[in-house]
Structure formats: C-alpha cells, structure tokens
Amino acid sequence: MSASSVNRRRILSLWLPRLPIDRIQRFFNSAGLGKANNEPSIVVIKDNNALVIHALDEAAERLGLYIGQPLANARAMCPDLKVFDSDVVADAKTLSDIADWCDRFTPLVALDAPHGLFLDITGCAHLFGGEAALLQTLVRALARQGFAVSATIAGTSVCARTLTRQTSGIIVADGGEAAAIDRFPVSALGAGEAITTGLRRAGLKTIGDVASRSPSEITARFGARFSTLLAHALGQGDAPINPRKPLPDYIVEKRFAEPIATDTMIAMTLSRLADTLIASMEKQGKGARRLEAAFFRTDGVVRAIMVETGRPVTRSAVVDRLFRERLDALADPLDPGFGFDMVRLSASRTEIVVQEQRDLDAHVHDNDELAALIDRIAARIGGKRVVVHLPQDTHIPECAVLAAPAQHHLAAAMQAEWPARPESEPPLRPLRLFEKPEPIKVPFATVPDGPPHQFTWRRALHAVVRVEGPERIAMEWWRQDGKQLTRDYFRIEDAEGLRFWIFRDGLYENEVFDGDGEPASPNWYVHGLFA
C-alpha cells in the first residue's frame, strides 16, 4: 500500500436539510407540545418582499411543497399548513451546538453554512471502528436528537458536499470521486443559479457531461472559479476546510461506556487526564498556559471550561487545583443531565519551560508563589479582574497608568520603574483618580489662570482655603487632532480639610468660544481626591 493511500485526506460532510423546522419541533417536544405526524409545517423567510418557504417537514414535502415556493401558493395547496417565521440566528446557534457535539469525533470541524458541517476524519476513523461505523454512529445519534441528516465521506470536501445534497450514507474510495458524482445534476455542485442555467442551456445537464469537456473550454465559458470547483468535486485537489477552532497542541480524553454524573467521578477523571497531559508535554519540555476541559453529555450538549496560567504549568496537581477552583466558582454549575459519556482535556497554548535555579534563589520562589496565587484567583473570578498597573510614557493623567491582566504582565509589572516622589514634598497626584473627571460648578475664579474661590461638587459647596498650582498640561495634539483643550490643574484644600485635584478645561479667551465665536468661560472638573 502506497504512502499516499495511507495518508489520504478524508472529509465527512453533514447536511441537515430540515434544520430550521427540526429546531422548532425539538423546542415543542422539550416543552411537551408535540404535533401529529401528518400535520404539515413549514418555515418561511422574506425574499424580495415576499414570504417563501425556507424549510419544510416530511408531511409538507409529501404534499408537493418545495423550498422557495411562495407562501400564498403553499396555502392554496394546503389551507391547514402550520407556518413559522425563520430565525437565522437561532438556526446558526443550533448548527454551532451540533458542531460542538461533533468535536467528539475530530477536533477539525468546519461550518458549511447555512445547514452543513465538514469533519476532517483523516487518520481518526479507526478509533470508531472504521469510516462506515463512524458514519452510522453519527447519523443515528443526530437522528435520536431529532434531526434529519444526510452524511457522506469522500476525499474532498466539495465532492462530499455534492453527495450529501443528493444521497446519504455513501463512502467514496480514494480516487473514486469523479465516478461517484458523474450522474448527478449540475445543480448539485452549488455553483449558483446563473452558472447552472448556463450549463443546462449548453446541454450539460449532469456533472459527467461537464467533466467530459476540456477544462480550458469550461474556464473560458464559466470562469476559473467554477472550473476550480469542478476539479475539486472530481477529486483533483481540494481547498482545505476552515476549522471553527484552532487545533490544540495536546489533547487527551476519556470515553465512558456508562455515563458519569457525580462530582467525584468528574474530579477523578480530570485528575487522571491532567496526569496524562502533563506527562505528554514533559517529554517535549513544555508547559501549559491555556487549558480547556470539555464535557460531552449523552444528549448532545457540550460544556467547555477554560483556565489560563501566568507561567507554563508542569505539574498535574496545579492543573487539578485550577479546575477545581473554576468549577466551584461557576455561576452556572456544571449540569451532567443524564451523564457525560466523554471528557476531554486539551492544552491550546503551550510554551517551552525555561529551567531556573530555584534552590538558592528566594526571589524565584516568591515569584512562583505569587504567580500561583494569581492563577487561582483568576480561575475563580476571571482573568480580566486580576490586574497589574504598568506606567505609560505620557503626561496625560488618565493615560499614565495601564491596567493589564496580571497573568500575562506580571513580569513586566515587577520590572516596571515608576517616577520617584521628591523627599519631603507632598504628592503631585491624588491617591484616588476618577476614571472620568466629574464636572463642578465654579461661580467665579481669578482670571486668566487663577483658581476658584469656591465650587459646588455633588450638591455640596466647598470654600477654597489653600491652593497649589497651576500645573498646565497640554493635550497630545498629534494624537487628539487638537480636539482636547489645555488643562490647568490645582491642588486645593477646602475649609473642612478635604483636598481635591481640580482642573480648568481650556484657556480663557484662547480655546473656549460660544456659538457666536465669542470667548466663553471654560468648564471646571474634579479629577481626584488626595488622602
């Protein structure tokens, strides 16, 4: 057997022709509101200001209704027709959920919108008893979930997709793509109405008729895009599918003949998978930075839990502890339903572990303990809520500090250099800086650049008794396009001993004007509070 036949690419195409109506029927079934089998139902969508059939069930199809038929014509043929409005967003969500469920067979799952999927099963079909067993398992499982499905396997995605629109259950051997689709109509290629009509007018009614012509003739008449599509359908090369999720660096999983549902078994399974995953990464000197645990329920629901770490993790005990923290803190607890029949643990981001001298360096130990603490807190409350502050090279007060996730910027924060405060001098910046300056009312102030004598903030009047300033800060005109005004900041103290950091937004008679172009009084703001 040649190497090319051993490593040939195999694509499984899924098509759910009745997805919109199946989704609605599943909703009614879950609510205990089933319908009679002979009651025809359709889903309609607006097309050119007219309602046409978007999807229909078997009962409606037996009456001769078809997709694209105007609703008025359908009602004339069947007055008792049940009609539902289309919900494209809900259909896309359902297709995405099915794709999540298909991850149990291969991590390479791509959308074939609006109602199809591609699964790259190259090299993994033997895990399920071969391609025929895999195809049968998948179709039966989706049928139990209430979906009508057509599925085929071929060497190219275009060939497999073409087959699913005409038949189901076909497995095309490597090199047999052209013969498998030879008798099908040209519309099965999905090339568009204009090209399909042009092919039929030219007397090319089947894919075999088109394939019998020379590629140059087809390209000259119908374009290079259609010529490439035809070549892929015939098995002559293929464009790669676009998986929904990037392939993780490492994957380990556990399947169960009897579904598990208890917290003890779930924790035990994760712990064993963590041991296996860490052992696999250790062989290549790597550690995990991002980990994901996926729980596959028997009813098709998939739940994924993700944790991130500040440093590469090389111990399974750390992985186990992080997931315990994450699971304990879930606002929506992990619901096993009738049980999980598969649990998968993957490392989607890994790094090479740098060996450090840890026995004699206390600083390294401190860093490890701090990083571990941050990881645990982030697993419980979310990584975006644990931040460090980094200095920025700017004199704009609200931009001088950047809040960044601690897990990814801990090293930078520990090495950051902050401006030193002169000894025996009061602080130039307030302890508490408002995210957005709050407006204050100033009845009068010393002009042109003096402080106010009193101001009102949050309905309270404050009499100014001490003032330091002004500190003039001009905005960065090369970034702001001159839209922001020059600020004069004052450190002031009122009669009650409260200290404020306020500023005047704009210069008198230079930057602030009214609607008639006359100089106007600038606005005042409080930007922070001193201790």
Side-chain angles (χ1 to χ4, degrees):
M1 184 178 293
S2 65
S4 61
S5 62
V6 173
N7 299 323
R8 68 185 188 277
R9 189 161 173 254
R10 303 298 286 168
I11 301 297
L12 189 154
S13 175
L14 280 179
W15 185 45
L16 298 100
R18 300 191 179 110
L19 176 65
I21 198 70
D22 288 342
R23 174 185 60 80
I24 294 172
Q25 185 58 43
R26 275 166 48 91
F27 172 77
F28 284 125
N29 290 339
S30 63
L33 303 173
K35 71 176 182 67
N37 292 331
N38 60 351
E39 186 178 24
S41 301
I42 64 172
V43 175
V44 296
I45 193 171
K46 182 172 286 188
D47 183 23
N48 293 328
N49 293 324
L51 292 177
V52 299
I53 297 179
H54 180 56
L56 69 168
D57 62 4
E58 289 185 76
E61 191 173 6
R62 286 195 297 267
L63 293 174
L65 306 184
Y66 56 91
I67 293 177
Q69 183 180 19
L71 176 60
N73 296 353
R75 282 196 183 278
M77 297 174 62
C78 180
D80 297 330
L81 196 63
K82 288 193 69 172
V83 181
F84 301 95
D85 292 329
S86 67
D87 189 339
V88 178
V89 175
D91 293 341
K93 175 64 168 57
T94 301
L95 185 64
S96 179
D97 291 341
I98 296 174
D100 287 338
W101 176 81
C102 288
D103 282 342
R104 66 175 59 232
F105 301 105
T106 172
L108 299 176
V109 180
L111 296 177
D112 180 22
H115 302 148
L117 296 172
F118 290 127
L119 283 69
D120 190 334
I121 59 171
T122 307
C124 68
H126 68 280
L127 300 174
F128 306 93
E131 292 182 351
L134 170 58
L135 188 69
Q136 189 176 49
T137 300
L138 193 150
V139 171
R140 285 181 176 178
L142 288 175
R144 286 196 300 269
Q145 295 178 33
F147 294 103
V149 58
S150 173
T152 60
I153 298 176
T156 69
S157 59
V158 179
C159 178
R161 184 183 189 276
T162 302
L163 286 167
T164 57
R165 271 55 175 177
Q166 300 297 318
T167 184
S168 182
I170 301 297
I171 300 177
V172 180
D174 187 35
E177 288 80 10
I181 64 174
D182 182 82
R183 67 186 188 279
F184 293 138
V186 291
S187 59
L189 290 172
E193 187 65 27
I195 291 180
T196 300
T197 302
L199 290 169
R200 288 172 177 169
R201 288 176 177 174
L204 306 175
K205 298 181 179 181
T206 67
I207 297 177
D209 294 338
V210 182
S212 64
R213 301 299 181 94
S214 65
S216 59
E217 181 182 351
I218 297 298
T219 302
R221 175 64 179 83
F222 300 102
R225 180 175 297 181
F226 175 74
S227 180
T228 301
L229 176 69
L230 177 64
H232 292 171
L234 299 175
Q236 302 167 7
D238 190 21
I241 65 173
N242 185 20
R244 301 163 56 247
K245 304 175 183 177
L247 185 66
D249 295 340
Y250 296 87
I251 299 177
V252 293
E253 60 187 33
K254 175 67 175 178
R255 300 175 185 270
F256 302 94
E258 293 293 333
I260 63 172
T262 63
D263 293 341
T264 302
M265 284 299 300
I266 293 173
M268 187 181 301
T269 301
L270 274 179
S271 180
R272 292 175 179 174
L273 290 177
D275 291 337
T276 306
L277 185 69
I278 292 297
S280 300
M281 293 189 295
E282 187 178 10
K283 294 178 181 178
Q284 300 184 11
K286 292 187 176 182
R289 288 290 304 275
R290 182 184 294 117
L291 295 147
E292 181 180 285
F295 304 88
F296 295 79
R297 272 181 12 185
T298 55
D299 60 354
V301 177
V302 182
R303 183 73 182 274
I305 307 296
M306 182 179 293
V307 297
E308 290 187 297
T309 64
R311 293 190 172 190
V313 173
T314 57
R315 293 188 299 160
S316 59
V318 176
V319 176
D320 189 31
R321 186 167 189 174
L322 288 176
F323 274 108
R324 287 177 185 268
E325 296 275 2
R326 188 76 181 92
L327 291 172
D328 290 342
L330 287 177
D332 181 14
L334 197 65
D335 180 14
F338 292 104
F340 299 113
D341 58 2
M342 191 180 91
V343 178
R344 172 183 292 162
L345 182 62
S346 58
S348 57
R349 180 184 173 191
T350 60
E351 291 181 1
I352 296 177
V353 180
V354 179
Q355 299 296 328
E356 295 178 300
Q357 175 58 262
R358 300 179 178 272
D359 295 333
L360 303 177
D361 193 343
H363 182 65
V364 172
H365 282 287
D366 293 340
N367 289 351
D368 288 346
E369 292 178 1
L370 179 58
L373 175 62
I374 291 174
D375 290 341
R376 289 177 55 194
I377 297 175
R380 181 167 287 274
I381 68 174
K384 294 182 179 180
R385 296 185 178 182
V386 186
V387 300
V388 293
H389 294 93
L390 304 175
Q392 302 298 301
D393 186 18
T394 179
H395 55 274
I396 308 302
E398 57 267 32
C399 302
V401 177
L402 174 67
Q407 286 182 301
H408 306 299
H409 298 87
L410 180 60
M414 299 183 70
Q415 298 174 2
E417 296 184 2
W418 295 87
R421 195 180 81 183
E423 295 183 5
S424 68
E425 290 290 333
L428 298 179
R429 296 291 181 267
L431 182 64
R432 179 186 177 189
L433 188 71
F434 297 149
E435 182 178 1
K436 184 177 181 181
E438 299 185 8
I440 58 177
K441 294 181 179 180
V442 175
F444 57 90
T446 305
V447 294
D449 53 8
H453 298 283
Q454 64 181 21
F455 64 92
T456 302
W457 176 55
R458 294 182 180 178
R459 300 181 182 179
L461 181 64
H462 300 270
V464 178
V465 296
R466 293 183 179 85
V467 178
E468 292 178 342
E471 176 188 356
R472 180 160 295 178
I473 297 179
M475 296 296 101
E476 298 171 336
W477 55 266
W478 59 94
R479 295 180 180 176
Q480 306 295 339
D481 296 330
K483 295 180 180 179
Q484 295 195 15
L485 306 178
T486 303
R487 300 177 183 176
D488 276 351
Y489 278 88
F490 296 89
R491 298 183 297 277
I492 68 173
E493 181 178 331
D494 68 359
E496 302 296 330
L498 300 177
R499 304 190 71 232
F500 303 86
W501 201 40
I502 68 173
F503 69 89
R504 184 187 62 248
D505 194 25
L507 302 178
Y508 284 105
E509 300 184 354
N510 285 332
E511 295 182 342
V512 183
F513 302 93
D514 58 19
D516 297 329
E518 298 295 328
S521 298
N523 295 319
W524 288 81
Y525 297 87
V526 58
H527 205 166
L529 303 175
F530 290 92

